[in-house]
Amino acid sequence: MDLFTGFLFRGLDQDQLAKIGAITTEISMENGQRIFVEGDEAKNLYVLKKGAVELMTSVEQNLELPISILRDPGDIFGSHSFIAPYRYSLSARCEEAGSVLSIERSSVKKLMVADRGLECIIMRNLAEHFLDRLTETRQELKIHFRILFRSTRS
Amino acid sequence: MDLFTGFLFRGLDQDQLAKIGAITTEISMENGQRIFVEGDEAKNLYVLKKGAVELMTSVEQNLELPISILRDPGDIFGSHSFIAPYRYSLSARCEEAGSVLSIERSSVKKLMVADRGLECIIMRNLAEHFLDRLTETRQELKIHFRILFRSTRS
């Protein structure tokens, strides 16, 4: 349960964390292994246990942009498995061999039906998380517009 | 209650919609009037009743980019008032005189404390909404990267 320190679990009590702990499966990963691919159905959430994972997005057929590298035990990825339309928005690849905890979407759904409080907290955490990412992404987009705007004026 | 058809209220039952209806205040708006400004504390959610509202974002001191125009009764804006850090991410200006229903953040919070089911549904709707916006914004950013990538190769 020491691993459940990521944004998604913020505010859950020890009992709720234990319920989450009970539905995880540990999976080892090798260097270079694809954990999931952008656009695929998002069936699992992952919590990093050991090693490192790179997240990236495909811009063109031969161009993938790195988005971030997760190295801290407890880092969460694949949170799109918790929310419609249940599609991974990024690809995840093992950057340094180790292991992850995998949590099936269907198992979490059962927990949420049985414990609405747990559902509320997770949904609030997800909404905050996506809003953070949205704010960041809009800032990046503004930088591009600013460059464009300045180049048309000079 | 016919106005509560926007994304945020999806899945609420008639009782819950009536509770929301009871905490709204109708406010008239004039052409060109600023309803809120990007970066301000988000104290209210708005539901369009009549007229039109333009949403925009500031890129430079003298450059605001239009994001969208809301014209349909029931359209929602200011949803950042429901989620931390409670800051409007866009500015809203009246584009065609009319009226809006305003819902105070503090009143909604009271409803959510009293009805966790209502909170769950709204938080799930918000998470889905921000994820949709995030996906759209990332797509726009990719278009910029693609242009950049092609220009460096040609």
Side-chain angles (χ1 to χ4, degrees):
Chain A
M1 282 171 31
D2 296 348
L3 277 178
F4 298 149
T5 51
F7 73 89
L8 200 61
F9 306 121
R10 211 169 34 213
L12 294 177
D13 64 27
Q14 290 303 311
D15 269 8
Q16 290 167 325
L17 291 176
K19 287 182 205 163
I20 303 264
I23 58 168
T24 60
T25 309
E26 187 166 346
I27 297 171
S28 62
M29 55 179 185
E30 301 303 320
N31 247 325
Q33 186 186 327
R34 291 261 171 179
I35 300 163
F36 54 74
V37 174
E38 184 175 349
D40 278 2
E41 190 189 343
K43 290 184 180 168
N44 298 289
L45 176 93
Y46 297 93
V47 179
L48 183 65
K49 189 170 178 186
K50 190 167 173 287
V53 167
E54 182 169 35
L55 302 178
M56 54 223 159
T57 187
S58 167
V59 173
E60 295 232 299
Q61 213 177 353
N62 296 313
L63 177 65
E64 274 192 320
L65 275 185
I67 302 292
S68 60
I69 293 188
L70 310 179
R71 299 188 178 281
D72 294 326
D75 278 348
I76 287 167
F77 57 107
S79 56
H80 289 62
S81 58
F82 277 23
I83 200 89
Y86 309 109
R87 294 270 156 208
Y88 293 120
S89 71
L90 300 170
S91 295
R93 187 179 54 198
C94 173
E95 185 65 17
E96 186 192 312
S99 66
V100 293
L101 300 183
S102 163
I103 303 177
E104 266 187 53
R105 184 175 90 206
S106 54
S107 307
V108 172
K109 281 218 160 177
K110 279 182 209 154
L111 276 192
M112 286 181 175
V113 169
D115 182 347
R116 293 304 292 273
L118 177 142
E119 182 186 12
C120 268
I121 291 169
I122 286 183
M123 286 301 146
R124 179 182 290 275
N125 288 341
L126 268 182
E128 286 184 14
H129 174 71
F130 290 133
L131 177 54
D132 279 354
R133 293 292 88 77
L134 178 60
T135 305
E136 273 176 22
T137 310
R138 280 193 176 146
Q139 288 306 325
E140 274 187 70
L141 200 56
K142 279 189 190 184
I143 292 169
H144 284 270
F145 276 116
R146 231 169 262 148
I147 292 167
L148 214 68
F149 178 65
R150 286 178 187 164
S151 70
T152 58
R153 290 176 78 199
S154 60
Chain B
M1 282 172 28
D2 296 348
L3 277 179
F4 298 150
T5 52
F7 73 88
L8 201 60
F9 306 122
R10 213 169 33 214
L12 294 178
D13 65 28
Q14 290 303 310
D15 268 8
Q16 290 168 324
L17 290 176
K19 285 183 206 165
I20 303 266
I23 58 167
T24 61
T25 310
E26 188 168 345
I27 298 171
S28 63
M29 55 178 185
E30 302 302 323
N31 248 323
Q33 186 186 326
R34 291 262 169 177
I35 300 162
F36 54 73
V37 174
E38 185 175 348
D40 278 2
E41 190 189 343
K43 290 184 179 168
N44 298 289
L45 176 92
Y46 296 93
V47 180
L48 184 65
K49 188 170 179 186
K50 192 169 173 283
V53 168
E54 181 169 34
L55 302 178
M56 54 224 158
T57 187
S58 168
V59 173
E60 295 231 300
Q61 211 176 356
N62 296 312
L63 176 67
E64 274 192 321
L65 275 187
I67 302 292
S68 61
I69 293 188
L70 310 178
R71 298 188 179 282
D72 295 326
D75 278 347
I76 287 167
F77 57 107
S79 56
H80 288 62
S81 57
F82 277 24
I83 199 89
Y86 309 108
R87 295 272 155 203
Y88 293 121
S89 71
L90 301 170
S91 294
R93 187 179 55 198
C94 174
E95 185 66 16
E96 186 193 313
S99 66
V100 293
L101 300 183
S102 163
I103 302 177
E104 266 186 52
R105 185 175 90 205
S106 54
S107 307
V108 172
K109 282 217 158 176
K110 278 181 209 154
L111 278 191
M112 286 181 174
V113 169
D115 181 347
R116 293 302 293 271
L118 177 143
E119 183 186 9
C120 268
I121 292 169
I122 288 183
M123 285 301 146
R124 178 183 291 275
N125 290 340
L126 268 181
E128 285 184 15
H129 174 71
F130 290 132
L131 177 55
D132 279 353
R133 293 294 86 78
L134 177 60
T135 305
E136 273 175 23
T137 310
R138 280 193 175 147
Q139 287 305 324
E140 275 187 70
L141 199 56
K142 279 188 189 184
I143 293 169
H144 283 269
F145 276 116
R146 232 169 260 148
I147 293 167
L148 214 69
F149 179 64
R150 285 175 187 167
S151 70
T152 57
R153 290 176 77 198
S154 61

